[in-house]
Amino acid sequence: MCGITGWVSYDRDLRTASAAVDTMTQTMSCRGPDDHGTWISGPAALGHRRLAIIDLPGGRQPMTVETPQGTLALVYSGEAYNYTELRSELTARGHRFTTKSDTEVVLHAYLEWGAAAAERLNGMYAFAVWDGRHDKLVMIRDRMGIKPFYYYPTPDGVLFGSEPKAILANPLARARVGIDGLREMFSTVKTPGHAVWDGMREVEPGTVVTVDRSGLRRHVYWALETRPHTDGREESVAHVRALLEDIVRRQLVSDVPRCTLLSGGLDSSAMTALAARHLAESGETVRSFAVDFVGQTDNFVADSLRATPDTPYVHDVAKSAGTDHRDIVLDAQALADPEVRSRVIRARDIPVGFGDMDASLYLLFQSIREHSTVALSGESADEVFGGYKQFFDEEARRARTFPWLVRFAEHFGDDGDVLREDLQQALDLPAYVQDGYDTAVAGVQRLDGESDFEFRMRTISHLHLTRFVRVLLDRKDRASMAVGLEVRVPFCDHRLVEYVYNAPWSLKSFDGREKSLLREATADVLPRSVYDRVKSPYPSTQDPKYALALQEHAKDLLTRPGHPVFDLVDRDRVDRAARRDVPQITQASRRGLERTLDLALWFDLYSPDISLS
């Protein structure tokens, strides 16, 4: 796992701009603390920061290969889990390798098949190839969008990077956010290609972006397609189990210490148990880590989202699977620490997220990094198998909007409680969300003969797999890479996604519960307590000291009435929330305080130029 960046400028020789390239590369230092390198030739410059995972001495980048027609240079972030098979195939085709890294395999795969190499990769990746044979840049992103990738067209070329900060470090890029960027920030819809910053775009998942002297072109090499599912229940359960066994085996390959993220839910427990079984075959014990909060288990109060605390279930799995387990226990002061909030905002480049849940995720990863460099996560199983409440909520099923938004304000609070009235009117978020929804559902293919109900459930699954999952994948990537931890997501393997997506809802919920296929496929490795447990989201602190700390930080901010954050948020509303008795703080008030503090730090860190015209 690494950080990549680069610059193509057809009207200049970038050897005279090496300092700017170095600065862009340096912004990726957290993503790649182990090594760094740049490569510049005429109109092309590539930068790389390395987190060494496979072939520690041999995988240095940028990596090049010489041909009679010109040089190919690669910067690559991610993992190709089938690189050993590809290496064998390429060797049989006459390619010769000097390292054992997957990076060299990807480079030679491009040399052999061009951009079509992406169709042969199984993994998570974002990479750019400067093809000196044709003076073109080819940028490729993995199918599900696990690894981030951004680009910024310029009059004579393009800037690119793993994160916006790399692009913004170049003098050609403006740190400007317009009204559409603000809409994207405040809507939780994850519009494909949208990067919030004006002029910047994401390389969309499953997409190749090519830049040459004639301009920029996009090609989609993978998309979620509707296909008949002909397997019955037993065959489907067996196939899901076989896929999971293969996926976990592949994703455990590493030359550095690895572990699992364990929450005590079905997803992470199944993944951890399968990993433990596989490693036990070679006499290894899997490490597992979980997040907890001081006093949370003893003082837990059930709510509409979380019926039980995680820790008892975490410990059941750790005992059953025989893991080397550690709880990372956090207190309210750490979660509300402005320095932690600043690091999270810096990691994300924009003030979007989930408040204390983002802080705890960052702190969890920071603690894990002291022991491991790679972690396997249960992320995305809810989107793949249908685990969220909205899959079963009749109102959410019927709603002509993104299903997760139907009760979002109820569960997490509403930004409207803090934004200025004039800004809310200018943004017109309901219209923006509706436009995004209408565009999203228009791309869902209906199976011949599919009932209205099954098609509606297919549509809900499609929305989660092409929109909502990308919010969570980006969150996890940024928080983990900010501390140099590689997080792998087995449930995002495209083979599993394609297979389960096309299973009818009657099969995905054959026992009347969420994630029926996953539960049955892994029943033999799960403790009964976890098998029976109802879905519970990522934990949030219930400690009133956290809300109290938010209020104190907000009061400090209110002493700076000229702060640009008050161009966006309503000062009086913030003041009322900051002075409310802690027992009376609603979820909306708490989210409003978190959002205000995030925005304030974003202005302090990035000095964005905000335009509402």
Side-chain angles (χ1 to χ4, degrees):
M1 197 70 72
C2 308
I4 65 173
T5 190
W7 182 6
V8 171
S9 176
Y10 288 108
D11 291 345
R12 63 191 296 180
D13 185 339
L14 289 180
R15 286 175 293 184
T16 64
S18 60
V21 177
D22 289 341
T23 300
M24 294 170 69
T25 305
Q26 179 59 27
T27 66
M28 298 287 95
S29 59
C30 289
R31 297 186 72 91
D34 297 330
D35 197 7
H36 64 91
T38 58
W39 177 90
I40 304 177
S41 178
L46 306 179
H48 186 263
R49 294 289 312 205
R50 186 184 184 203
L51 176 64
I53 302 294
I54 301 290
D55 188 8
L56 305 190
R60 297 197 68 190
Q61 299 184 49
M63 187 174 285
T64 61
V65 61
E66 301 295 335
T67 77
Q69 296 78 35
T71 302
L72 273 66
L74 168 73
V75 282
Y76 167 76
S77 170
E79 304 292 344
Y81 302 123
N82 63 335
Y83 80 97
T84 54
E85 296 98 316
L86 285 175
R87 181 188 178 100
S88 297
E89 182 179 357
L90 289 165
T91 298
R93 289 172 173 264
H95 292 260
R96 296 295 176 262
F97 295 90
T98 60
T99 75
K100 297 179 180 179
S101 71
D102 61 334
T103 303
E104 189 178 17
V105 172
V106 170
L107 179 57
H108 280 263
Y110 177 85
L111 182 61
E112 180 68 27
W113 297 299
E119 300 169 23
R120 296 172 176 264
L121 297 176
N122 176 305
M124 55 178 187
Y125 46 83
F127 63 91
V129 179
W130 172 253
D131 190 336
R133 299 170 301 181
H134 309 288
D135 276 0
K136 68 179 181 180
L137 180 75
V138 179
M139 298 179 283
I140 300 177
R141 191 177 182 194
D142 66 66
R143 296 169 179 84
M144 292 295 290
I146 304 168
K147 302 312 299 173
F149 203 175
Y150 297 84
Y151 66 98
Y152 188 104
T154 64
D156 71 332
V158 71
L159 307 169
F160 71 85
S162 292
E163 298 178 5
K165 61 175 63 69
I167 294 170
L168 295 173
N170 188 288
L172 295 179
R174 292 182 60 193
R176 183 177 185 272
V177 175
I179 193 163
D180 233 30
L182 292 176
R183 287 173 177 140
E184 187 70 15
M185 273 173 45
F186 294 126
S187 59
T188 320
V189 298
K190 195 59 176 175
T191 304
H194 208 303
V196 174
W197 300 96
D198 276 9
M200 195 180 299
R201 300 287 294 171
E202 277 191 324
V203 176
E204 293 183 34
T207 299
V208 179
V209 177
T210 302
V211 179
D212 59 21
R213 294 181 185 275
S214 64
L216 184 148
R217 298 179 303 282
R218 295 172 61 256
H219 166 68
V220 177
Y221 72 87
W222 184 88
L224 202 54
E225 295 181 352
T226 295
R227 301 168 186 162
H229 185 88
T230 58
D231 290 345
R233 181 192 299 182
E234 289 186 7
E235 295 86 355
S236 297
V237 168
H239 190 65
V240 166
R241 176 58 176 265
L243 282 172
L244 289 174
E245 294 273 10
D246 181 66
I247 293 165
V248 170
R249 174 183 61 82
R250 290 177 182 276
Q251 297 199 19
L252 283 170
V253 174
S254 170
D255 291 338
V256 294
R258 66 274 208 238
C259 67
T260 66
L261 308 178
L262 180 58
S263 70
L266 175 61
D267 321 329
S268 66
S269 299
M271 179 267 301
T272 295
L274 292 175
R277 278 196 170 194
H278 179 73
L279 291 181
E281 295 174 1
S282 57
E284 292 187 67
T285 299
V286 69
R287 292 179 175 180
S288 61
F289 293 87
V291 68
D292 195 9
F293 308 109
V294 174
Q296 183 98 329
T297 300
D298 294 337
N299 302 294
F300 183 81
V301 177
D303 59 29
S304 58
L305 275 182
R306 303 172 182 86
T308 53
D310 287 347
T311 301
Y313 300 92
V314 166
H315 292 173
D316 285 352
V317 176
K319 181 179 179 180
S320 172
T323 75
D324 177 6
H325 180 74
R326 179 173 301 193
D327 292 325
I328 306 301
V329 183
L330 307 173
D331 60 29
Q333 288 70 31
L335 294 173
D337 186 349
E339 178 57 32
V340 172
R341 186 176 298 278
S342 177
R343 292 176 194 167
V344 171
I345 297 298
R346 185 65 180 162
R348 296 292 295 273
D349 289 313
I350 50 176
V352 298
F354 299 97
D356 73 289
M357 292 185 284
D358 285 351
S360 66
L361 191 68
Y362 173 85
L363 292 169
L364 169 67
F365 290 157
Q366 185 180 60
S367 295
I368 291 174
R369 187 62 177 87
E370 298 174 5
H371 310 278
S372 296
T373 311
V374 171
L376 271 64
S377 166
E379 191 80 89
S380 307
D382 288 307
E383 290 81 5
V384 174
F385 289 96
Y388 293 117
K389 283 182 178 290
Q390 56 261 27
F391 280 91
F392 298 85
D393 184 333
E394 285 301 326
E395 184 179 347
R397 284 174 169 177
R398 292 193 303 269
R400 291 300 178 254
T401 189
F402 295 102
W404 54 90
L405 295 182
V406 172
R407 302 195 188 281
F408 190 88
E410 174 187 334
H411 295 316
F412 301 107
D414 187 346
D415 289 325
D417 275 21
V418 70
L419 296 181
R420 290 170 50 131
E421 290 286 354
D422 57 339
L423 177 60
Q424 291 186 56
Q425 293 176 12
L427 294 177
D428 193 5
L429 291 179
Y432 183 75
V433 170
Q434 192 62 54
D435 288 347
Y437 172 79
D438 292 342
T439 300
V441 297
V444 184
Q445 303 165 330
R446 187 167 188 164
L447 191 67
D448 289 345
E450 194 168 43
S451 70
D452 289 345
F453 175 73
E454 282 289 352
F455 179 58
R456 181 58 188 162
M457 297 311 297
R458 176 185 296 280
T459 299
I460 290 174
S461 295
H462 194 280
L463 292 172
H464 281 82
L465 289 166
T466 59
R467 298 296 195 278
F468 190 62
V469 75
R470 296 177 187 175
V471 175
L472 302 183
L473 289 173
D474 188 68
R475 169 179 176 260
K476 189 175 292 291
D477 176 88
R478 302 298 192 86
S480 61
M481 294 306 294
V483 297
L485 177 71
E486 174 176 294
V487 175
R488 300 176 178 178
V489 278
F491 291 107
C492 275
D493 186 293
H494 70 279
R495 298 169 298 163
L496 182 69
V497 172
E498 291 171 345
Y499 184 78
V500 179
Y501 171 68
N502 282 298
W505 182 251
S506 58
L507 189 54
K508 292 178 185 173
S509 59
F510 65 76
D511 59 1
R513 300 184 59 191
E514 75 280 3
K515 296 180 283 195
S516 305
L517 283 175
L518 176 59
R519 182 179 294 101
E520 202 61 29
T522 56
D524 61 309
V525 298
L526 296 171
R528 188 70 199 189
S529 60
V530 173
Y531 181 90
D532 291 335
R533 190 186 185 195
V534 175
K535 161 71 183 174
S536 184
Y538 184 87
S540 176
T541 181
Q542 297 181 341
D543 191 338
K545 295 189 187 72
Y546 175 71
L548 185 61
L550 290 179
Q551 288 183 310
E552 292 304 312
H553 298 321
K555 289 175 183 176
D556 288 342
L557 179 61
L558 287 163
T559 65
R560 302 160 61 191
H563 196 287
V565 73
F566 295 115
D567 292 336
L568 301 182
V569 304
D570 188 308
R571 191 179 186 282
D572 290 338
R573 290 180 179 178
V574 175
D575 184 68
R576 287 195 296 271
R579 299 183 187 285
R580 188 169 292 161
D581 289 342
V582 169
Q584 297 177 353
I585 291 183
T586 64
Q587 189 64 42
S589 296
R590 179 166 135 171
R591 178 170 171 81
L593 291 172
E594 290 172 330
R595 175 67 88 177
T596 299
L597 295 170
D598 285 351
L599 283 165
L601 279 169
W602 182 56
F603 276 107
D604 293 341
L605 291 168
Y606 289 85
S607 301
D609 174 17
I610 304 296
S611 172
L612 300 181
S613 58

